[in-house]
């Protein structure tokens, strides 16, 4: 969502921890145990609950379902620090921690956290790549397959070291196309030496993988065009529809959103560069006084302070800025709203914000600011109205339609709920992932990892 970072991660963002955390205590050494009958999978990711974000929710939920499908799942990740750039309370800086998140054994390694400034983010990414590569073999049992979450692209450095050490193949999961998304966001100049080196490195990681998973057809197409001999699989973001619905609105959620007249358009996620949240402020400032409707923005991130300052300085009406809430409270918050607003600030290749799926499951009409595959999915499901990033006039017209027409909101909401249940169900997605990982395990173990 975003921050994906994090520009594009942010594009996919969601929020909050997926499961309660228990801490049985650190395990700082030892050799790999004998392999059990069920395959052993290690997920390598810089982002994991209790952090906020789309990858955290997606990976942890898929990991739980892979356990149900017969895998032994372990995670190698960083001490939680995202998106604030500060190690969370309860986690000692510069110390490893081993805990259980849900049913998943989670080994955490230190890093130099930072979410502000390009150079500082690079240092953050490289520090995690270094500590995970160095400490992973001590903290984790030897897996039969490594599933690697990217971006950040630098995580590939750790993946290559670990797969050589463990003599196992890796599957590379591409959530956002890097460095292309960085170029689109103006973080890296197209055609520069940095751009060329990053592209070459990206291609090397793809070629070395036993398989590649991705969140959108556009990403899959880009990968296949460059590495046609590497197996690929579409693993879209999805949702557990049993956790969402209009009936979940409660007094806590209504009080948080506020008693003012609606309809209420809600955004819950990362306040990052990729989201283009300034478009919501511009929309709120441009609406005529007689038009009903207001906006509630829930979350945190590098742009939160700037948004708050702009709301105050420009006296922008209709906007309420709220801190992030725990993941288990998100369904009630969405259920208490009337519209889900999901913006992107630019055309990002392959970016499909994962918030659209929870909005669908919550039976909320989606007001989307995005082009490409994200807009296609909303239009195919018939569950919302779309406009391009930067097209303020189209966004205002779409909001006015939804604000004035409760019947339209109801029809779009029902269509979204149907799409969530029939197309984007997390359990069905996990089954496809299970089949693909098993095929990569068989093919990848037969060849030496480069």
């Amino acid at each position: 969502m975003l921050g994906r970072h994090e520009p594009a991660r942010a594009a996919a963002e969601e929020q909050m921890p997926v499961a309660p955390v228990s801490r049985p205590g650190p395990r700082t050494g030892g050799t790999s145990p004998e392999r059990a009958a069920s395959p052993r999978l290690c997920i390598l990711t810089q982002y994991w609950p209790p952090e906020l974000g789309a990858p955290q929710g997606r990976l942890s939920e898929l990991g739980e379902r892979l356990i149900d499908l017969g895998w032994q799942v372990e995670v190698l990740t960083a001490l939680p620090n995202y998106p604030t750039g500060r190690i969370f309370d309860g986690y000692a800086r510069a110390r490893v921690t081993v805990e259980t998140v849900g049913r998943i054994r989670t080994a955490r390694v230190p890093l130099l956290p930072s979410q502000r400034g390009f150079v500082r983010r690079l240092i953050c990414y490289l520090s995690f790549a270094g500590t995970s590569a160095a400490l992973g073999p001590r903290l984790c049992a030897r897996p039969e397959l490594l599933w690697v979450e990217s971006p950040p692209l630098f995580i590939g450095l750790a993946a290559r070291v670990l797969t050589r050490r463990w003599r196992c193949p890796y599957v590379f999961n591409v959530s956002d196309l890097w460095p292309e998304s960085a170029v689109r966001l103006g973080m890296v100049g197209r055609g520069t030496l940095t751009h060329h080196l990053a592209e070459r490195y990206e291609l090397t990681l793809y070629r070395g993988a036993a398989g590649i998973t991705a969140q959108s057809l556009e990403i899959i197409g880009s990968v296949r065009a460059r590495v046609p001999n590497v197996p690929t699989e579409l693993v879209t973001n999805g949702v557990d529809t049993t956790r969402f619905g209009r009936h979940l609105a409660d007094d806590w959620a209504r009080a948080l959103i506020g008693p003012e007249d609606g309809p209420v358009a809600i955004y819950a996620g990362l306040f990052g560069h990729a989201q283009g949240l300034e478009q919501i402020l511009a929309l709120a400032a441009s609406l005529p006084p007689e038009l009903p409707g207001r906006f509630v923005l829930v979350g945190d991130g590098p742009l939160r302070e700037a948004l708050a300052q702009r709301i105050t300085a420009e006296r922008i009406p209709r906007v309420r800025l709220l801190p992030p809430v725990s993941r288990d409270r998100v369904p009630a918050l969405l259920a208490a709203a009337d519209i889900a607003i999901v913006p992107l600030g630019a055309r990002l290749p392959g970016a499909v914000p994962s918030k659209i799926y929870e909005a669908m499951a919550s039976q909320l009409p989606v007001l989307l600011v995005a082009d490409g595959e994200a807009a296609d999915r909303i239009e195919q499901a018939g569950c919302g109205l779309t406009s391009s990033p930067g097209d303020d006039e189209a966004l205002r017209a779409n909001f006015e339609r939804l604000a004035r027409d409760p019947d339209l909101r109801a029809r779009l909401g029902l269509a979204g709920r149907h799409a969530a249940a029939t197309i984007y169900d997390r359990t069905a997605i996990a089954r496809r992932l299970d089949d693909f990982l098993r095929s990569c395990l068989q093919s990848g173990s037969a060849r030496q990892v480069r």
Side-chain angles (χ1 to χ4, degrees):
M1 161 136 91
L2 262 210
R4 175 286 244 279
H5 146 193
E6 265 198 339
R9 173 167 314 294
E13 91 274 352
E14 258 0 298
Q15 295 234 358
M16 308 75 176
V18 169
V21 171
S22 62
R23 296 186 180 166
R27 184 183 78 188
T28 57
T31 58
S32 301
E34 287 187 29
R35 293 186 181 183
S38 54
R40 186 181 294 278
L41 176 72
C42 181
I43 301 174
L44 175 64
T45 174
Q46 189 166 330
Y47 306 97
W48 190 251
E51 293 176 330
L52 316 180
Q56 293 88 331
R58 168 172 44 83
L59 292 173
S60 56
E61 290 187 17
L62 286 173
E64 291 282 345
R65 285 163 174 77
L66 288 174
I67 291 174
D68 294 334
L69 293 168
W71 291 82
Q72 299 179 67
V73 179
E74 191 167 26
V75 167
L76 178 59
T77 189
L79 294 175
N81 66 96
Y82 181 81
T84 63
R86 298 184 299 273
I87 301 297
F88 286 13
D89 292 342
Y91 294 84
R93 188 184 296 269
R95 286 184 54 195
V96 299
T97 301
V98 178
E99 62 187 7
T100 301
V101 177
R103 292 178 291 164
I104 301 174
R105 185 180 182 275
T106 300
R108 299 186 185 273
V109 298
L111 81 171
L112 298 173
S114 175
Q115 298 301 329
R116 297 182 184 277
F118 182 69
V119 173
R120 291 181 178 180
R121 283 200 297 270
L122 290 182
I123 293 172
C124 175
Y125 303 152
L126 287 169
S127 68
F128 173 69
T131 57
S132 58
L135 299 176
R138 276 204 303 142
L139 296 170
C140 300
R142 178 188 174 192
E144 291 161 279
L145 186 66
L146 184 67
W147 191 30
V148 185
E149 169 72 11
S150 172
L153 198 61
F154 292 105
I155 201 170
L157 295 170
R160 304 282 284 187
V161 171
L162 290 170
T163 52
R164 286 194 181 101
R165 175 73 177 270
W166 283 327
R167 298 189 60 79
C168 73
Y170 70 87
V171 171
F172 207 63
N173 185 70
V174 184
S175 294
D176 300 304
L177 284 170
W178 281 81
E180 181 59 29
S181 290
V183 171
R184 299 288 184 98
L185 290 167
M187 299 177 64
V188 175
R190 189 178 298 280
T192 62
L193 178 60
T194 299
H195 182 211
H196 286 309
L197 291 175
E199 282 193 323
R200 289 180 61 183
Y201 179 58
E202 176 192 28
L203 192 59
T204 298
L205 294 175
Y206 293 170
R207 286 173 174 165
I212 295 173
T213 53
Q215 270 60 67
S216 73
L217 290 169
E218 190 171 2
I219 294 176
I220 288 286
S222 175
V223 171
R224 286 177 178 169
R226 289 178 285 166
V227 285
N229 295 326
V230 178
T232 57
E233 180 70 20
L234 176 66
V235 181
T236 65
N237 280 298
V239 65
D240 180 356
T241 55
T242 65
R243 294 184 57 242
F244 296 86
R246 303 299 293 168
H247 63 288
L248 296 174
D250 57 21
D251 292 341
W252 168 86
R254 295 186 188 96
L256 195 63
I257 285 178
E260 300 88 353
D261 292 338
V264 174
I266 191 168
Y267 171 88
L270 181 72
F271 292 10
H273 296 276
Q275 284 63 50
L277 295 176
E278 68 279 355
Q279 296 172 101
I280 299 179
L281 303 192
L283 171 60
S286 71
L287 296 176
E290 67 275 10
L291 183 77
R294 57 192 179 89
F295 305 88
V296 173
L297 312 183
V298 186
D300 201 355
L303 295 187
R304 180 184 175 85
E305 184 177 346
L307 293 171
Q309 290 176 351
R310 182 179 172 187
I311 291 170
T312 301
E314 299 180 20
R315 298 182 180 179
I316 298 175
R318 304 172 183 259
V319 181
R320 173 172 291 196
L321 211 59
L322 298 175
V325 301
S326 63
R327 185 172 178 79
D328 62 351
R329 299 306 296 150
V330 171
L333 202 58
L334 294 178
D338 303 288
I339 300 166
I341 184 165
V342 183
L344 290 180
R347 171 74 168 87
L348 299 176
V352 181
S354 58
K355 280 190 295 298
I356 67 175
Y357 307 109
E358 292 190 355
M360 290 178 182
S362 300
Q363 207 170 310
L364 286 178
V366 179
L367 183 62
L368 180 75
V369 183
D371 290 322
E373 194 167 335
D376 291 343
R377 293 192 187 181
I378 295 299
E379 291 167 0
Q380 290 165 5
C383 65
L385 303 179
T386 67
S387 60
S388 299
D391 191 342
D392 294 341
E393 185 175 336
L395 173 59
R396 183 168 56 252
N398 286 342
F399 178 77
E400 289 187 8
R401 284 186 62 192
L402 291 175
R404 296 183 188 277
D405 192 342
D407 291 336
L408 175 62
R409 297 199 300 268
R411 290 197 303 273
L412 297 176
L414 286 171
R417 176 71 187 186
H418 176 75
T422 58
I423 303 174
Y424 300 114
D425 176 69
R426 185 81 79 184
T427 299
I429 294 168
R431 292 194 188 103
R432 294 199 303 272
L433 175 61
D434 170 54
D435 289 340
F436 183 72
L437 292 179
R438 289 179 186 273
S439 69
C440 292
L441 178 60
Q442 293 172 0
S443 62
S445 58
R447 66 183 178 91
Q448 182 75 28
V449 176
R450 291 196 295 271

